[in-house]
Amino acid sequence: MAIVLISASQDIAQWRESFAALLSGVELRHWPDIGVADEIDMAIAWKAPEGALKSLPNLRLICSLGQGTDHLFRFDDLPPGVPITRLVDDSMRRQMTAYVIAAVTRRLCRMADYAAYQAKGEWHPLAAYDPAAAVVGVLGLGALGRDAAEKLAGLGFEVRGWSRNPAFIPGVECFNGKRSLAEMLGPCDMVCCLLALTSETLGILDARAFAAIKPGAYLINSARGGHVVEADLLAALDSGHLDGATLDVFEAEPLAADSPLWDHPKVELTPHISAVTMVQSCAGQIAENYRRMTAGQPLLHVVDPDREY
Ligand code: NAP
């Protein structure tokens, strides 16, 4: 049997090298050069073209080549009954927590303001800050959000977290469910989105959510662009209700050349790099799931298609 990698952005040579050491005798093919489709029993997918997964008649496992799984539910074209797994990766967790802490501390230490003063050659000390006086809200307390919330609490910030199901994290005030969202957001000085993107969370950071956050707050979105209604974000920034944003993900990627976000004075942005899939870190768990699939054993990091994450 064979595995197919469906991703335009990955280096197939690197994956083949890793899999040769992990799964001897299993061929790794690269979409669209799949050879005999009947031979493929596992697909490793990132933004697969519409209908691609359904075209593989003997598929027994779909592995999301990322921690997020929203890309798999874009077209409503998944082959019925085929289990889906995703990555849960230590490297991505470390990368994401570092990104979030960088954005939060950069804001608190007024680094952007000091860069502007430096450019003007001005020695201009601003008011001192204490992390304990800043409230940081983390939306999503899963594999990534929980770690970021814990580490921010460890730095002394007052941290509030929000998830679908109840969560208990030492040092973090946890809320859950749609009805508690406005209450959770209310006192936040900074809000970081690390939610799964599903039908329920699409556009969750809209004008209504921004209005619930106290004036002068700061937004960090490193989950998915679909969580934020960009027009509402721009309106909240331009009205002065929100004081700034760090954005790693966007409604459409790459960000359009004419997007007003590019040169907005209150926006710092990065090109979807806050937690990158690294072959050497992720190949092991994918190979392990292949082995489990063939042995009929329980899979790691299974996705529930009904809740879309
Ligand atoms: P995860 O483990 O699946 O956690 C998702 C979190 O979202 C969970 O806490 C879940 O609540 C919460 N959630 C889902 N639906 C909700 C709802 N309707 N109401 C409230 N909370 C809800 O995901 P992850 O691995 O931490 O990833 C988090 C996000 O980061 C994803 O969007 C992923 O795509 C994104 N990501 C971005 C990058 C990047 O480079 N920018 C890299 C990797 C991942 P429960 O805990 O109650 O289930």
Side-chain angles (χ1 to χ4, degrees), residues 130-172:
D130 178 353
V135 183
V136 184
V138 180
L139 298 170
L141 298 170
L144 301 177
R146 172 176 286 263
D147 191 58
E150 283 174 350
K151 300 281 174 11
L152 288 165
L155 287 172
F157 291 96
E158 184 182 330
V159 182
R160 310 183 123 212
W162 187 72
S163 54
R164 191 164 172 260
N165 303 295
F168 304 94
I169 304 176
V172 177

Short mmCIF file of all heavy atoms in Angstrom, two decimals, residues 130-172:
data_model
loop_
_atom_site.label_atom_id
_atom_site.label_comp_id
_atom_site.label_asym_id
_atom_site.label_seq_id
_atom_site.Cartn_x
_atom_site.Cartn_y
_atom_site.Cartn_z
N ASP A 130 3.38 46.77 34.94
CA ASP A 130 3.53 45.55 35.73
C ASP A 130 2.62 44.50 35.11
O ASP A 130 1.40 44.72 35.00
CB ASP A 130 3.12 45.83 37.18
CG ASP A 130 3.22 44.59 38.05
OD1 ASP A 130 3.47 43.49 37.50
OD2 ASP A 130 3.03 44.73 39.27
N PRO A 131 3.15 43.37 34.67
CA PRO A 131 2.29 42.35 34.06
C PRO A 131 1.09 42.00 34.92
O PRO A 131 0.00 41.71 34.39
CB PRO A 131 3.23 41.14 33.89
CG PRO A 131 4.59 41.74 33.77
CD PRO A 131 4.58 42.97 34.66
N ALA A 132 1.24 42.06 36.22
CA ALA A 132 0.12 41.68 37.11
C ALA A 132 -1.07 42.62 36.96
O ALA A 132 -2.19 42.27 37.32
CB ALA A 132 0.59 41.66 38.56
N ALA A 133 -0.82 43.79 36.40
CA ALA A 133 -1.93 44.75 36.22
C ALA A 133 -2.59 44.60 34.87
O ALA A 133 -3.52 45.34 34.55
CB ALA A 133 -1.40 46.17 36.39
N ALA A 134 -2.10 43.66 34.04
CA ALA A 134 -2.67 43.49 32.70
C ALA A 134 -3.49 42.20 32.64
O ALA A 134 -3.04 41.15 33.08
CB ALA A 134 -1.55 43.44 31.67
N VAL A 135 -4.70 42.31 32.08
CA VAL A 135 -5.57 41.14 31.94
C VAL A 135 -5.47 40.62 30.50
O VAL A 135 -5.72 41.38 29.55
CB VAL A 135 -7.04 41.51 32.26
CG1 VAL A 135 -7.92 40.26 32.18
CG2 VAL A 135 -7.14 42.16 33.63
N VAL A 136 -5.08 39.36 30.35
CA VAL A 136 -4.96 38.77 29.02
C VAL A 136 -6.01 37.66 28.89
O VAL A 136 -6.07 36.75 29.73
CB VAL A 136 -3.56 38.17 28.79
CG1 VAL A 136 -3.45 37.64 27.35
CG2 VAL A 136 -2.47 39.19 29.06
N GLY A 137 -6.81 37.76 27.85
CA GLY A 137 -7.81 36.73 27.59
C GLY A 137 -7.32 35.79 26.50
O GLY A 137 -6.83 36.25 25.47
N VAL A 138 -7.44 34.50 26.73
CA VAL A 138 -7.06 33.52 25.72
C VAL A 138 -8.31 32.77 25.29
O VAL A 138 -8.94 32.07 26.10
CB VAL A 138 -5.99 32.54 26.26
CG1 VAL A 138 -5.61 31.52 25.18
CG2 VAL A 138 -4.74 33.29 26.74
N LEU A 139 -8.68 32.93 24.03
CA LEU A 139 -9.84 32.23 23.47
C LEU A 139 -9.36 30.91 22.90
O LEU A 139 -8.53 30.90 21.99
CB LEU A 139 -10.48 33.07 22.36
CG LEU A 139 -11.03 34.43 22.78
CD1 LEU A 139 -11.41 35.25 21.55
CD2 LEU A 139 -12.22 34.27 23.70
N GLY A 140 -9.84 29.80 23.44
CA GLY A 140 -9.37 28.49 23.02
C GLY A 140 -8.32 28.00 23.99
O GLY A 140 -7.28 28.64 24.17
N LEU A 141 -8.63 26.86 24.63
CA LEU A 141 -7.72 26.32 25.64
C LEU A 141 -7.36 24.88 25.27
O LEU A 141 -7.34 23.99 26.11
CB LEU A 141 -8.37 26.37 27.02
CG LEU A 141 -8.71 27.79 27.51
CD1 LEU A 141 -9.56 27.73 28.77
CD2 LEU A 141 -7.44 28.60 27.75
N GLY A 142 -7.10 24.68 23.97
CA GLY A 142 -6.74 23.35 23.50
C GLY A 142 -5.23 23.15 23.57
O GLY A 142 -4.55 23.72 24.43
N ALA A 143 -4.71 22.37 22.63
CA ALA A 143 -3.28 22.03 22.65
C ALA A 143 -2.41 23.28 22.69
O ALA A 143 -1.38 23.30 23.37
CB ALA A 143 -2.95 21.19 21.42
N LEU A 144 -2.81 24.33 21.99
CA LEU A 144 -1.99 25.55 21.94
C LEU A 144 -2.41 26.58 22.98
O LEU A 144 -1.58 27.16 23.68
CB LEU A 144 -2.05 26.16 20.53
CG LEU A 144 -1.55 25.24 19.41
CD1 LEU A 144 -1.72 25.93 18.05
CD2 LEU A 144 -0.10 24.84 19.62
N GLY A 145 -3.71 26.84 23.08
CA GLY A 145 -4.18 27.90 23.97
C GLY A 145 -3.88 27.62 25.43
O GLY A 145 -3.51 28.53 26.18
N ARG A 146 -4.00 26.37 25.84
CA ARG A 146 -3.74 26.02 27.25
C ARG A 146 -2.30 26.36 27.62
O ARG A 146 -2.04 26.96 28.67
CB ARG A 146 -4.01 24.53 27.45
CG ARG A 146 -3.59 24.00 28.82
CD ARG A 146 -3.98 22.55 28.97
NE ARG A 146 -5.41 22.42 29.17
CZ ARG A 146 -6.00 22.30 30.37
NH1 ARG A 146 -5.27 22.25 31.46
NH2 ARG A 146 -7.30 22.19 30.48
N ASP A 147 -1.37 25.99 26.76
CA ASP A 147 0.05 26.24 27.07
C ASP A 147 0.33 27.74 27.13
O ASP A 147 1.02 28.22 28.04
CB ASP A 147 0.94 25.58 26.01
CG ASP A 147 2.40 25.58 26.43
OD1 ASP A 147 2.73 25.02 27.49
OD2 ASP A 147 3.23 26.18 25.70
N ALA A 148 -0.23 28.48 26.16
CA ALA A 148 -0.01 29.94 26.16
C ALA A 148 -0.60 30.55 27.43
O ALA A 148 0.04 31.40 28.08
CB ALA A 148 -0.66 30.56 24.91
N ALA A 149 -1.81 30.11 27.82
CA ALA A 149 -2.45 30.65 29.02
C ALA A 149 -1.61 30.34 30.26
O ALA A 149 -1.38 31.21 31.11
CB ALA A 149 -3.86 30.08 29.16
N GLU A 150 -1.14 29.11 30.35
CA GLU A 150 -0.32 28.72 31.51
C GLU A 150 0.95 29.55 31.60
O GLU A 150 1.34 30.02 32.67
CB GLU A 150 0.07 27.23 31.41
CG GLU A 150 -1.06 26.29 31.77
CD GLU A 150 -0.71 24.83 31.52
OE1 GLU A 150 0.35 24.54 30.89
OE2 GLU A 150 -1.49 23.97 31.93
N LYS A 151 1.61 29.72 30.45
CA LYS A 151 2.91 30.44 30.45
C LYS A 151 2.68 31.93 30.75
O LYS A 151 3.50 32.55 31.44
CB LYS A 151 3.62 30.26 29.11
CG LYS A 151 3.93 28.80 28.76
CD LYS A 151 5.14 28.33 29.51
CE LYS A 151 5.52 26.85 29.38
NZ LYS A 151 4.96 25.96 28.45
N LEU A 152 1.59 32.50 30.22
CA LEU A 152 1.29 33.91 30.52
C LEU A 152 0.99 34.07 32.01
O LEU A 152 1.46 35.04 32.63
CB LEU A 152 0.10 34.39 29.68
CG LEU A 152 0.39 34.60 28.19
CD1 LEU A 152 -0.90 34.70 27.40
CD2 LEU A 152 1.24 35.85 27.97
N ALA A 153 0.26 33.13 32.58
CA ALA A 153 -0.01 33.19 34.02
C ALA A 153 1.31 33.08 34.78
O ALA A 153 1.52 33.79 35.78
CB ALA A 153 -0.97 32.08 34.42
N GLY A 154 2.21 32.24 34.29
CA GLY A 154 3.52 32.08 34.93
C GLY A 154 4.34 33.36 34.89
O GLY A 154 5.21 33.58 35.75
N LEU A 155 4.10 34.20 33.90
CA LEU A 155 4.81 35.49 33.81
C LEU A 155 4.18 36.55 34.70
O LEU A 155 4.68 37.67 34.78
CB LEU A 155 4.83 35.99 32.36
CG LEU A 155 5.76 35.24 31.40
CD1 LEU A 155 5.53 35.73 29.97
CD2 LEU A 155 7.22 35.45 31.79
N GLY A 156 3.05 36.20 35.33
CA GLY A 156 2.42 37.13 36.27
C GLY A 156 1.22 37.87 35.73
O GLY A 156 0.61 38.67 36.45
N PHE A 157 0.84 37.63 34.48
CA PHE A 157 -0.35 38.28 33.93
C PHE A 157 -1.60 37.71 34.60
O PHE A 157 -1.61 36.54 35.04
CB PHE A 157 -0.45 38.06 32.41
CG PHE A 157 0.60 38.78 31.62
CD1 PHE A 157 1.76 38.14 31.22
CD2 PHE A 157 0.45 40.13 31.30
CE1 PHE A 157 2.74 38.80 30.51
CE2 PHE A 157 1.42 40.79 30.59
CZ PHE A 157 2.57 40.14 30.19
N GLU A 158 -2.65 38.52 34.63
CA GLU A 158 -3.95 37.99 35.05
C GLU A 158 -4.58 37.38 33.80
O GLU A 158 -4.85 38.10 32.84
CB GLU A 158 -4.82 39.13 35.61
CG GLU A 158 -6.14 38.61 36.15
CD GLU A 158 -7.03 39.73 36.68
OE1 GLU A 158 -6.51 40.76 37.15
OE2 GLU A 158 -8.26 39.56 36.58
N VAL A 159 -4.78 36.09 33.80
CA VAL A 159 -5.20 35.40 32.56
C VAL A 159 -6.62 34.87 32.70
O VAL A 159 -6.99 34.26 33.71
CB VAL A 159 -4.22 34.25 32.21
CG1 VAL A 159 -4.64 33.59 30.90
CG2 VAL A 159 -2.79 34.78 32.11
N ARG A 160 -7.42 35.10 31.65
CA ARG A 160 -8.77 34.54 31.56
C ARG A 160 -8.80 33.65 30.32
O ARG A 160 -8.23 34.02 29.29
CB ARG A 160 -9.81 35.65 31.38
CG ARG A 160 -9.69 36.76 32.37
CD ARG A 160 -10.82 37.76 32.17
NE ARG A 160 -11.53 37.87 33.42
CZ ARG A 160 -12.82 38.11 33.58
NH1 ARG A 160 -13.58 38.29 32.53
NH2 ARG A 160 -13.38 38.19 34.77
N GLY A 161 -9.42 32.51 30.42
CA GLY A 161 -9.49 31.60 29.28
C GLY A 161 -10.92 31.28 28.92
O GLY A 161 -11.82 31.34 29.78
N TRP A 162 -11.14 30.93 27.67
CA TRP A 162 -12.50 30.60 27.23
C TRP A 162 -12.46 29.39 26.29
O TRP A 162 -11.61 29.32 25.39
CB TRP A 162 -13.11 31.80 26.48
CG TRP A 162 -14.55 31.64 26.11
CD1 TRP A 162 -15.62 31.68 26.96
CD2 TRP A 162 -15.10 31.44 24.80
NE1 TRP A 162 -16.79 31.51 26.25
CE2 TRP A 162 -16.50 31.37 24.93
CE3 TRP A 162 -14.53 31.31 23.53
CZ2 TRP A 162 -17.36 31.18 23.85
CZ3 TRP A 162 -15.39 31.11 22.44
CH2 TRP A 162 -16.78 31.05 22.61
N SER A 163 -13.35 28.46 26.52
CA SER A 163 -13.40 27.25 25.68
C SER A 163 -14.85 26.78 25.56
O SER A 163 -15.77 27.42 26.09
CB SER A 163 -12.53 26.14 26.29
OG SER A 163 -12.91 25.93 27.63
N ARG A 164 -15.04 25.68 24.86
CA ARG A 164 -16.39 25.15 24.65
C ARG A 164 -16.84 24.38 25.90
O ARG A 164 -17.91 24.60 26.43
CB ARG A 164 -16.34 24.23 23.44
CG ARG A 164 -17.63 23.78 22.88
CD ARG A 164 -17.34 23.24 21.47
NE ARG A 164 -18.47 22.61 20.89
CZ ARG A 164 -18.66 21.30 20.84
NH1 ARG A 164 -17.78 20.49 21.38
NH2 ARG A 164 -19.72 20.81 20.25
N ASN A 165 -15.96 23.51 26.37
CA ASN A 165 -16.24 22.71 27.57
C ASN A 165 -15.52 23.34 28.77
O ASN A 165 -14.54 24.07 28.59
CB ASN A 165 -15.72 21.28 27.37
CG ASN A 165 -16.34 20.64 26.14
OD1 ASN A 165 -17.53 20.43 26.08
ND2 ASN A 165 -15.51 20.37 25.13
N PRO A 166 -15.97 23.03 29.97
CA PRO A 166 -15.29 23.59 31.14
C PRO A 166 -13.81 23.17 31.18
O PRO A 166 -13.48 22.05 30.83
CB PRO A 166 -16.04 22.96 32.33
CG PRO A 166 -17.35 22.51 31.77
CD PRO A 166 -17.12 22.19 30.33
N ALA A 167 -12.96 24.11 31.58
CA ALA A 167 -11.52 23.81 31.70
C ALA A 167 -11.06 24.27 33.07
O ALA A 167 -11.63 25.19 33.66
CB ALA A 167 -10.75 24.55 30.60
N PHE A 168 -10.03 23.60 33.57
CA PHE A 168 -9.47 23.96 34.87
C PHE A 168 -7.96 24.09 34.69
O PHE A 168 -7.28 23.10 34.43
CB PHE A 168 -9.80 22.89 35.91
CG PHE A 168 -11.29 22.66 36.02
CD1 PHE A 168 -11.90 21.65 35.29
CD2 PHE A 168 -12.07 23.48 36.82
CE1 PHE A 168 -13.28 21.45 35.35
CE2 PHE A 168 -13.45 23.29 36.89
CZ PHE A 168 -14.06 22.27 36.15
N ILE A 169 -7.48 25.31 34.78
CA ILE A 169 -6.04 25.57 34.59
C ILE A 169 -5.58 26.41 35.77
O ILE A 169 -6.11 27.52 35.98
CB ILE A 169 -5.76 26.32 33.27
CG1 ILE A 169 -6.34 25.56 32.07
CG2 ILE A 169 -4.27 26.54 33.08
CD1 ILE A 169 -6.20 26.28 30.74
N PRO A 170 -4.62 25.91 36.55
CA PRO A 170 -4.16 26.68 37.70
C PRO A 170 -3.71 28.08 37.29
O PRO A 170 -2.99 28.24 36.31
CB PRO A 170 -2.97 25.86 38.22
CG PRO A 170 -3.20 24.48 37.71
CD PRO A 170 -3.92 24.63 36.40
N GLY A 171 -4.18 29.08 38.00
CA GLY A 171 -3.77 30.46 37.73
C GLY A 171 -4.53 31.13 36.59
O GLY A 171 -4.24 32.27 36.25
N VAL A 172 -5.49 30.42 36.01
CA VAL A 172 -6.26 30.98 34.89
C VAL A 172 -7.75 30.93 35.24
O VAL A 172 -8.26 29.88 35.64
CB VAL A 172 -6.01 30.18 33.58
CG1 VAL A 172 -6.85 30.72 32.43
CG2 VAL A 172 -4.52 30.19 33.23
#
